[in-house]
Amino acid sequence: MPTIAISGGGSGIGHTFVTAFAKDANNHIHAIDVTFSDEVSNEKAAAKVERHTVDTSKQSSVDALAAALDGEPIDLFIHSAAVRGLVRSATEKSDNPADAETLAVMDAETMTATLQVNVVGSFLLLRALVPNLQKAAGARCVVMGSRMGPMAANNDGGAYAYRASKAGLNALVKSFAIDVPDVVFTVIHPGRVESRMTH
């Protein structure tokens, strides 16, 4: 029975992965998110689905998850938890997300909060699950990155918080791949996905 952990499992891409893997009764799924607005329940799923409410920006919350999963091998971890990094006051003035992440409106609070979730939170969560991944033969960790992360791909500017956080995420995953060679780590760009993050 493959065990699959999916962060961001309560909405967006993560929720889609949970729904897809839940169709196979052979799977055991750990859905991880700070909230579950679109819950997948065992009643609707062929697979065993367990939900874990975790705030990845808080060490204590991540530690509680690690304790709950202690000793359990994880064959696949899909990390898709992230925030867009939009300035809240700017989103109230425009329906276009790009207007809420420009040079003119970006602020320290938004930058800090975005980096806390997308970089620090990612580090804490990945590090916490490394022992579980190492217990499974041929384990893989797939991280949802973005084409907005590589500096060479930045031809448009803007999106300061999101770009910086995704660039930082790339660096983190590269280091994990070097430091934990018995687990396959990769970053993928899923393309633009219609979800709450993109609106």
Side-chain angles (χ1 to χ4, degrees):
M1 175 183 289
T3 299
I4 304 163
I6 303 170
S7 69
S11 64
I13 297 174
H15 180 258
T16 301
F17 277 121
V18 171
T19 302
F21 282 113
K23 294 176 181 178
D24 187 340
N26 293 315
N27 292 333
H28 177 194
I29 301 168
H30 292 286
I32 304 163
D33 211 329
V34 67
T35 58
F36 286 90
S37 57
D38 300 311
E39 292 184 297
V40 173
S41 66
N42 279 314
E43 291 73 24
K44 299 178 182 178
K48 179 181 180 182
V49 178
E50 296 184 56
R51 294 184 297 275
H52 304 270
T53 302
V54 179
D55 183 347
T56 61
S57 69
K58 297 180 180 178
Q59 181 72 63
S60 59
S61 187
V62 175
D63 288 346
L65 173 68
L69 299 179
D70 185 38
E72 181 172 357
I74 292 177
D75 300 283
L76 172 64
F77 174 39
I78 299 175
H79 179 49
S80 62
V83 295
R84 175 67 183 265
L86 303 178
V87 178
R88 185 181 301 274
S89 60
T91 62
E92 297 168 356
K93 300 175 183 176
S94 172
D95 291 332
N96 182 359
D99 293 338
E101 52 187 357
T102 65
L103 176 62
V105 303
M106 185 52 59
D107 56 32
E109 181 182 2
T110 303
M111 288 285 292
T112 301
T114 305
L115 292 170
Q116 182 66 37
V117 173
N118 294 359
V119 181
V120 179
S122 293
F123 171 74
L124 295 177
L125 187 56
L126 265 65
R127 183 175 66 176
L129 295 184
V130 161
N132 304 87
L133 291 164
Q134 290 178 315
K135 285 185 175 293
R140 288 167 170 76
C141 176
V142 180
V143 178
M144 296 299 116
S146 171
R147 65 181 179 182
M148 296 178 78
M151 286 182 282
N154 185 357
N155 299 311
D156 303 314
Y160 285 89
Y162 191 68
R163 287 187 191 279
S165 71
K166 288 300 184 178
L169 184 63
N170 288 344
L172 283 182
V173 177
K174 176 64 175 179
S175 288
F176 271 102
I178 294 169
D179 293 340
V180 191
D182 49 335
V183 175
V184 175
F185 289 87
T186 187
V187 179
I188 66 169
H189 168 55
R192 182 178 173 85
V193 177
E194 289 299 320
S195 68
R196 286 181 298 175
M197 180 183 285
T198 58
H199 293 283

